[in-house]
């Protein structure tokens, strides 16, 4: 036993020494002028370990004890090598790089030839050879995201509340910082995943927002098309780059004794979206070393962003050039109301190319945050590879963390333009915009709501609403609670209990409650109908497979008709309020079941799974069934209702896309009037996406229904293609839509109706288009009935999401 203890005591120090890492800190400067060489490359000789300096030329390397040759390099300079023996932390290791003095020829372009085209052509060929050599790879990454705003902001859940600046002269300051350590994996043809091992953020960010990584968010300019904002843009090495861009050799530089071409690029036509700036390519070997680019104005739809700049460098790993870092800088001006900036700085290192990976190593998760990622302490970060903070970042961290410790008062959280007022991070009351509403049944009505959000480690959400109408003199309640289970909260239990006034055919009405109240008060233009309902329901939902979600539940409700109790209006006091239709008063007990089939990949952010299409085409299937039985469930009516949905997004060409929605409903049995389906129509002169523009709200009905909605968003591609002088630069967007429907009411449901309802026993078709501009949040729409003509054969309307 004593021998065993002696061996352990001898080996423990050795184990600790092996596991320990030391930090090398230093800077890279011009040896003569002292100029800081921002983003200089620093690597360990004969290894895959390396990093890049920050904006101030400072760097950090984390290495195990031993002897190393560290090499700093920068285009236009001779590399510098420093030998170090690591048995402790080293600070002040400063590289002084000397500018190259190779005799470099001036760039002379002779008539009839452009040498840049041949350089780009050979680089594209080299890119294709590179692709053949890569089957898989792994890498490690560190990422730092910097948010800049005029005013400090707060974040809750996945929502960020920005402060609004009051002057253009105000400077953007650092108001948020996100950092992460991750490991990424790739396998041909398109398998990819990344795992966040550790993350931290400034105190005003919740951890779930921090999914910034060095691999997932970056664009690799060695690839063909580069995706920005879900738009595929031709890159400098895309197959059609020579036709899409204009290139010319700007300068010939050198790194050590190797010549490097600095080639300027821009789109052939200024109205084509793409990149402009410089790419750096080695002579003779034609490897891409660096890009320093901006998105042009045509790629900046609506001109939201003042600047979008990208900087990326590549390093050779056994002759294969891989991304070594990535820098993204953008500034946005949101409708002149708020200015925002974002910077992403990443380093990628320790590549392992063509490792043994199989498709079984990958799932639908493209990003997973490990359970312990938020628990890493300062000792972990001290020993991990990072980009050193600049002085401005250090000051920002301290300032934001100190602000988070200042007590937050009720008035700090209060806003007159909010639907909720938070008392704390998890508890809220309804806001001023949600205190009052008006309709012809309740008259003037007040509402008090109590809400719980993201409680118990973001597992519990609940709401309790109380309301009272001064005309119907009825006190109403609406209670709901949802509890989430599973590591990523993919299972849920939902319970609702209510005694309330309900909007008739609410699923077909996408207008805001504020709009309904305003129209009723001003002009008695009430487009909604109502009925009373009381009861309860519960539902169990679970993601049983990564692509399949199932649910089952039970409904108990009793519905009663509501009558008109108020004839009030600001101006139209001479007009009588429209009568409210009667519903079929009955008690319904029913079982429900449903499914959702979604093949999109997802992000596991440490709390939830969030689906993402990555800007690619997708299709989602879903459906549900409601079963009511008079004998077994003691229900007032017996019926079985089936519903099926298809929601599809298809990228068609360039920035254009097609959205397809299909809905079918089939009822077998006697369905009450209030549960019949109404085709989604619109108000007079107002419209919404995926609705029937030439139909009014609650105009056409059925319990056996099939609808098709097609909307093709051309963005501004049509006017770019037509190349009409003047119009092509106005960013005029065009949206083409086509809607079709067929509706019927079954005989047994028809017998319950107290009034005749309109149906489309034969298919109905309408066609139209909308015109908008950039970021202006409305479209002018024109729609025509193709058949079933009578009134509203042609409709002009304004499509505005705010209504």
């Amino acid at each position: 036993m004593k021998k065993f203890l002696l061996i352990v005591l001898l080996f423990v120090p050795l184990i600790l020494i092996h596991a320990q890492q030391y930090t090398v800190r230093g800077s890279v400067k011009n040896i003569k002028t002292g100029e800081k060489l921002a983003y200089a490359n620093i690597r360990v000789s004969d290894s895959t370990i390396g990093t890049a300096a920050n904006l101030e030329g400072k760097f950090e390397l984390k290495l195990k004890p031993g002897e190393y040759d560290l090499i700093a390099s920068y285009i236009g300079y001779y590399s510098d090598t420093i030998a170090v023996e690591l048995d402790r932390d080293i600070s002040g290791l400063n590289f002084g790089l000397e500018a190259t003095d190779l005799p470099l020829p001036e760039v002379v372009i002779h008539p009839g030839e452009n040498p840049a085209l041949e350089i780009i052509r050979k680089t594209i060929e080299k890119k294709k050879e590179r692709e053949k050599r890569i089957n898989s790879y792994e890498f490690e990454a560190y990422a730092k995201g910097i948010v800049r705003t005029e005013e400090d902001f707060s974040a809750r859940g996945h929502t960020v509340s920005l402060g609004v600046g009051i002057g253009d002269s105000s400077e953007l300051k650092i108001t948020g910082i996100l950092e992460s350590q991750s490991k990424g994996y790739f396998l041909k043809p398109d398998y990819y995943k990344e795992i966040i091992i550790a993350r931290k953020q400034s105190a005003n960010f919740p951890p779930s927002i921090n999914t910034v990584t060095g691999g997932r968010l970056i664009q690799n300019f060695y690839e063909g098309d580069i995706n920005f904002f879900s738009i595929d843009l031709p890159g400098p090495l895309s197959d059609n780059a020579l036709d899409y861009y204009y290139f010319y050799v700007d300068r010939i530089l050198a790194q050590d004794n190797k010549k490097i071409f600095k080639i300027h690029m821009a789109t052939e036509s200024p109205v084509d979206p793409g990149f402009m700036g410089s790419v750096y390519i080695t002579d003779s070997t034609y490897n891409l070393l660096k890009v320093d680019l901006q998105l042009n104005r045509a790629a900046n739809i609506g001109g939201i962003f003042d600047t979008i700049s990208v900087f990326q460098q590549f390093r050779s790993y056994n002759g294969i050039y891989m991304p070594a870092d990535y820098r993204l800088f953008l500034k946005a001006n949101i409708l002149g109301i708020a200015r925002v900036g974002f910077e992403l700085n990443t380093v990628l290192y320790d590549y392992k190319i063509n490792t043994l990976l199989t498709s079984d190593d990958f799932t639908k998760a493209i990003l997973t945050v490990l359970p312990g990622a938020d628990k890493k302490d300062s000792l972990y970060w001290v020993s991990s590879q990072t980009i050193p903070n600049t002085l401005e970042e250090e000051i920002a961290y301290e300032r934001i963390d100190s602000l988070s410790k200042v007590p937050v008062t009720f008035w700090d959280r209060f806003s007159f333009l909010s639907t909720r007022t938070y008392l704390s991070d998890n508890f809220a009351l309804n806001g001023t915009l949600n205190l009052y509403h008006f309709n012809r049944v309740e008259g003037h009505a007040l509402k008090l709501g109590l809400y719980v959000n993201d409680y118990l480690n973001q597992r519990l959400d609940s709401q309790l609403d109380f309301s009272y109408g001064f005309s119907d003199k009825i006190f109403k309640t609406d209670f709901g609670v949802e509890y989430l289970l599973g590591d990523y909260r993919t299972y849920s239990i939902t319970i609702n209990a209510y005694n309330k006034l309900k909007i008739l055919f609410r699923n077909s009405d996408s207008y805001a409650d504020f709009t309904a109240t305003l129209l009723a008060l001003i002009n008695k233009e009430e487009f909604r109908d109502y009925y009373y309902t009381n009861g309860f329901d519960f539902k169990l939902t679970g993601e049983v497979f990564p692509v399949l979600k199932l649910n089952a539940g039970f409904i108990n409700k009793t519905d009663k008709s509501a009558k008109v109790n108020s004839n009030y209006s600001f101006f139209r006091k001479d007009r009588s309020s429209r009568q409210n239709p009667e519903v079929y008063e009955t008690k319904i007990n029913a079982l429900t079941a449903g499914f959702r089939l979604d093949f999109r990949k997802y992000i596991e952010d440490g709390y939830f799974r969030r689906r993402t299409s990555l800007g690619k085409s997708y299709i989602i299937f879903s459906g549900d069934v409601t079963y009511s039985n008079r004998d077994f469930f003691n229900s007032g009516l017996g019926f079985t209702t089936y519903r099926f949905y298809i929601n599809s997004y298809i990228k068609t060409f360039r920035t254009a896309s097609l959205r397809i929605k299909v809905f079918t409903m089939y009822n077998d049995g006697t369905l009450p009037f209030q549960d019949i389906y109404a085709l989604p129509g619109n108000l007079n002169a107002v419209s919404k996406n995926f609705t029937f523009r030439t139909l009014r709200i609650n105009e056409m009905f059925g319990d056996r229904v099939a609808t098709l909605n097609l909307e093709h968003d051309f963005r501004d591609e049509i006017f770019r293609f037509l190349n009409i002088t003047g119009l092509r630069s106005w960013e005029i967007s065009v949206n083409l839509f086509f809607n079709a429907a067929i509706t019927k009411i079954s005989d047994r449901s028809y017998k319950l109706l107290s009034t005749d309802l309109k149906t489309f026993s034969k298919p109905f078709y309408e066609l139209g288009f909308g015109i908008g501009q950039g970021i202006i949040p409305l479209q002018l729409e024109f729609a025509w009935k193709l058949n079933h003509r009578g009134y509203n054969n042609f409709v002009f309307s304004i499509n505005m999401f705010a209504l």
Side-chain angles (χ1 to χ4, degrees):
M1 184 65 179
K2 292 181 179 180
K3 291 183 178 179
F4 175 75
L5 290 175
L6 180 61
I7 293 172
V8 170
L9 290 173
L10 289 173
F11 271 93
V12 165
L14 295 175
I15 294 171
L16 292 174
I17 291 173
H18 178 74
Q20 187 173 5
Q21 290 198 102
Y22 292 116
T23 301
V24 179
R25 295 184 178 89
S27 64
V28 185
K29 299 180 181 180
N30 182 310
I31 195 170
K32 291 184 178 179
T33 67
E35 176 190 358
K36 302 170 183 176
L37 299 182
Y39 315 130
N41 274 304
I42 301 92
R43 60 185 175 87
V44 178
S45 179
D46 299 323
S47 80
T48 60
I49 300 172
T51 188
N54 65 11
L55 180 64
E56 298 174 342
K58 297 179 180 179
F59 71 91
E60 288 182 358
L61 263 177
K62 307 296 170 61
L63 300 169
K64 295 177 182 179
E67 297 180 356
Y68 301 94
D69 289 332
L70 305 185
I71 303 171
S73 60
Y74 198 85
I75 292 177
Y77 289 80
Y78 292 106
S79 297
D80 187 19
T81 301
I82 298 178
V84 296
E85 182 176 353
L86 277 184
D87 54 9
R88 56 183 173 80
D89 291 338
I90 296 178
S91 298
L93 187 73
N94 299 320
F95 288 92
L97 304 192
E98 182 181 356
T100 55
D101 57 0
L102 294 178
L104 300 174
E106 293 187 7
V107 179
V108 179
I109 300 178
H110 299 286
E113 68 177 43
N114 182 352
L117 299 183
E118 183 63 18
I119 295 171
I120 295 297
R121 186 177 293 111
K122 290 184 177 180
T123 307
I124 292 174
E125 292 174 359
K126 190 65 177 286
K127 176 203 73 171
K128 294 178 179 178
E129 294 176 7
R130 171 186 176 275
E131 291 173 350
K132 293 178 181 178
R133 295 178 62 188
I134 298 175
N135 181 62
S136 65
Y137 60 80
E138 303 175 21
F139 65 90
E140 294 186 39
Y142 165 80
K144 179 190 293 183
I146 304 292
V147 179
R148 294 179 181 271
T149 58
E150 295 172 290
E151 304 292 338
D152 289 304
F153 66 88
S154 60
R156 181 182 295 108
H158 297 292
T159 304
V160 175
S161 301
L162 293 176
V164 177
I166 57 175
D168 290 338
S169 61
S170 56
E171 292 293 328
L172 294 181
K173 60 183 179 182
I174 296 178
T175 51
I177 304 175
L178 307 162
E179 299 181 70
S180 74
Q181 289 276 357
S182 61
K183 189 170 180 64
Y185 304 84
F186 170 81
L187 174 67
K188 279 185 176 179
D190 58 357
Y191 294 101
Y192 182 83
K193 71 174 180 181
E194 196 164 359
I195 298 172
I196 292 183
I197 301 167
R199 65 180 178 184
K200 64 177 180 175
Q201 51 282 323
S202 52
N204 57 341
F205 272 126
S208 60
I209 264 180
N210 186 1
T211 56
V212 173
T213 61
R216 183 178 65 88
L217 289 181
I218 76 166
Q219 289 81 24
N220 182 354
F221 280 84
Y222 247 114
E223 297 175 353
D225 291 340
I226 309 297
N227 188 277
F228 261 97
F229 311 121
S230 299
I231 300 173
D232 289 330
L233 302 174
L237 302 185
S238 64
D239 292 340
N240 65 335
L242 292 171
D243 297 321
Y244 198 80
Y245 290 102
Y246 172 73
F247 298 92
Y248 67 83
V249 179
D250 184 19
R251 292 178 62 190
I252 299 178
L253 305 169
Q255 182 173 320
D256 299 328
N257 295 317
K258 299 176 182 178
K259 287 196 298 184
I260 296 170
F261 297 106
K262 178 184 178 183
I263 298 178
H264 180 82
M265 61 177 286
T267 56
E268 287 279 3
S269 171
V271 299
D272 287 334
F275 299 95
M276 58 183 297
S278 300
V279 295
Y280 297 77
I281 297 172
T282 59
D283 185 24
S284 303
T285 57
Y286 302 103
N287 294 302
L288 180 64
L289 276 188
K290 184 172 82 171
V291 301
D292 190 354
L293 300 170
Q294 289 187 345
L295 263 69
N296 65 7
R297 178 62 181 80
N300 181 8
I301 303 297
I304 299 177
F305 298 99
D306 297 329
T307 57
I308 308 173
S309 302
V310 183
F311 179 95
Q312 186 173 39
Q313 299 181 99
F314 299 87
R315 186 184 299 131
S316 175
Y317 292 86
N318 297 323
I320 298 176
Y321 279 77
M322 303 294 290
D325 65 358
Y326 180 84
R327 322 274 172 167
L328 173 68
F329 307 92
L330 63 84
K331 288 184 179 181
N333 191 333
I334 305 172
L335 297 176
I337 298 175
R339 295 190 301 134
V340 182
F342 180 72
E343 302 169 15
L344 176 64
N345 294 280
T346 76
V347 289
L348 299 95
Y349 56 95
D350 202 12
Y351 279 92
K352 296 179 176 59
I353 300 176
N354 293 329
T355 53
L356 184 59
L357 294 174
T358 69
S359 59
D360 294 335
D361 296 318
F362 298 84
T363 65
K364 284 289 182 182
I366 58 171
L367 174 65
T368 297
V369 179
L370 292 183
D374 297 320
K375 300 176 182 178
K376 303 297 185 184
D377 57 17
S378 57
L379 292 177
Y380 174 87
W381 288 99
V382 166
S383 61
S384 298
Q385 183 62 57
T386 62
I387 299 173
N389 289 329
T390 63
L391 179 60
E392 183 186 16
E393 291 165 4
E394 291 284 0
I395 294 173
Y397 251 130
E398 293 179 6
R399 180 181 60 82
I400 297 168
D401 289 347
S402 65
L403 286 175
S404 68
K405 298 175 183 177
V406 177
V408 179
T409 67
F410 172 83
W411 297 109
D412 292 328
R413 303 176 188 269
F414 179 79
S415 171
F416 281 104
L417 300 178
S418 175
T419 58
R420 290 193 181 183
T421 299
Y422 277 86
L423 305 176
S424 66
D425 289 340
N426 304 109
F427 298 92
L429 301 172
N430 56 316
T432 52
L433 289 182
N434 207 15
L435 283 173
Y436 168 84
H437 63 269
F438 176 85
N439 59 67
R440 66 190 187 279
V441 173
E442 294 178 288
H444 303 287
L446 294 179
K447 177 181 176 181
L448 173 63
L450 307 174
Y451 308 100
V452 178
N453 298 109
D454 298 333
Y455 197 54
L456 299 179
N457 198 24
Q458 301 195 42
R459 293 187 182 276
L460 179 68
D461 292 291
S462 181
Q463 116 276 329
L464 178 59
D465 291 321
F466 302 95
S467 64
Y468 180 78
F470 288 91
S471 292
D472 69 351
K473 296 180 172 30
I474 296 177
F475 188 77
K476 308 166 189 74
T477 58
D478 188 5
F479 170 75
V481 61
E482 180 182 45
Y483 189 79
L484 305 175
L485 302 98
D487 291 340
Y488 294 100
R489 293 141 181 85
T490 52
Y491 293 84
S492 67
I493 302 172
T494 306
I495 300 173
N496 297 294
Y498 44 83
N499 181 10
K500 63 182 180 179
L501 185 72
K502 189 172 182 179
I503 298 170
L504 191 61
F505 312 122
R506 184 66 175 101
N507 291 338
S508 300
D509 175 1
S510 58
Y511 287 90
D513 292 340
F514 178 78
T515 302
T517 292
L518 198 62
L519 290 177
L521 284 173
I522 292 175
N523 207 33
K524 290 185 182 175
E525 292 288 346
E526 288 224 39
F527 57 88
R528 285 176 172 168
D529 298 314
Y530 304 88
Y531 67 99
Y532 295 107
T533 184
N534 72 81
F536 68 90
D537 61 68
F538 67 84
K539 182 187 291 185
L540 304 176
T541 304
E543 193 173 279
V544 295
F545 297 106
V547 299
L548 179 62
K549 181 178 289 187
L550 299 178
N551 67 74
F554 181 78
I555 297 173
N556 168 281
K557 65 170 186 169
T558 301
D559 299 333
K560 293 184 179 181
S561 297
K563 65 178 182 178
V564 175
N565 296 294
S566 175
N567 200 38
Y568 182 80
S569 172
F570 288 158
F571 306 110
R572 296 302 302 270
K573 300 183 184 297
D574 58 325
R575 175 187 289 184
S576 296
S577 296
R578 182 172 59 83
Q579 288 299 309
N580 192 68
E582 293 183 354
V583 300
Y584 186 79
E585 297 187 352
T586 187
K587 178 180 180 180
I588 298 295
N589 292 318
L591 288 176
T592 64
F595 77 95
R596 180 181 175 90
L597 197 59
D598 189 344
F599 297 95
R600 292 178 297 170
K601 296 181 183 297
Y602 50 74
I603 295 168
E604 296 176 331
D605 65 7
Y607 295 90
F608 301 94
R609 280 182 179 167
R610 294 188 279 119
R611 298 281 172 174
T612 176
S613 67
L614 301 173
K616 299 178 181 178
S617 301
Y618 65 86
I619 186 169
I620 300 171
F621 301 97
S622 59
D624 61 73
V625 59
T626 303
Y627 176 66
S628 173
N629 186 283
R630 301 185 66 171
D631 298 326
F632 190 72
F633 296 133
N634 193 28
S635 184
L637 294 173
F639 59 85
T640 305
T641 303
Y642 306 90
R643 297 178 183 87
F644 180 70
Y645 308 82
I646 299 175
N647 184 4
S648 178
Y649 170 85
I650 301 171
K651 297 192 69 173
T652 51
F653 64 96
R654 290 178 50 131
T655 63
S657 61
L658 173 66
R659 291 288 304 274
I660 303 173
K661 289 192 174 183
V662 176
F663 168 72
T664 62
M665 172 180 174
Y666 183 85
N667 178 67
D668 181 19
T670 307
L671 195 66
F673 166 65
Q674 57 268 28
D675 291 336
I676 284 176
Y677 183 75
L679 292 183
N682 288 282
L683 302 174
N684 185 33
V686 181
S687 56
K688 293 281 189 177
N689 284 51
F690 299 104
T691 61
F692 291 82
R693 274 49 163 207
T694 61
L695 299 181
R696 292 292 165 253
I697 292 176
N698 300 347
E699 181 179 352
M700 308 302 294
F701 302 88
D703 66 351
R704 295 178 181 179
V705 178
T707 66
L708 171 66
N709 304 105
L710 304 177
E711 297 204 1
H712 196 290
D713 185 1
F714 289 94
R715 294 207 173 190
D716 58 349
E717 296 295 350
I718 290 180
F719 290 97
R720 291 185 190 277
F721 176 77
L722 294 176
N723 203 22
I724 300 174
T725 303
L727 289 179
R728 65 185 183 182
S729 60
W730 289 3
E731 296 180 348
I732 298 176
S733 60
V734 177
N735 182 44
L736 179 67
F737 54 85
F738 171 80
N739 299 312
I742 184 170
T743 68
K744 295 181 181 180
I745 299 178
S746 61
D747 292 339
R748 282 186 282 181
S749 297
Y750 183 80
K751 292 177 181 179
L752 291 184
L753 298 178
S754 59
T755 183
D756 285 337
L757 298 180
K758 295 181 180 179
T759 63
F760 285 132
S761 58
K762 294 183 180 180
F764 166 76
Y765 308 105
E766 68 173 19
L767 181 69
F769 67 92
I771 296 178
Q773 194 282 328
I775 62 171
I776 299 177
L778 62 84
Q779 276 198 133
L780 304 180
E781 294 193 333
F782 307 84
W784 292 265
K785 286 182 177 178
L786 301 182
N787 62 349
H788 291 278
R789 297 173 66 83
Y791 76 102
N792 275 356
N793 295 325
F794 166 74
V795 171
F796 166 75
S797 60
I798 298 176
N799 188 331
M800 184 183 301
F801 78 93
L803 297 176

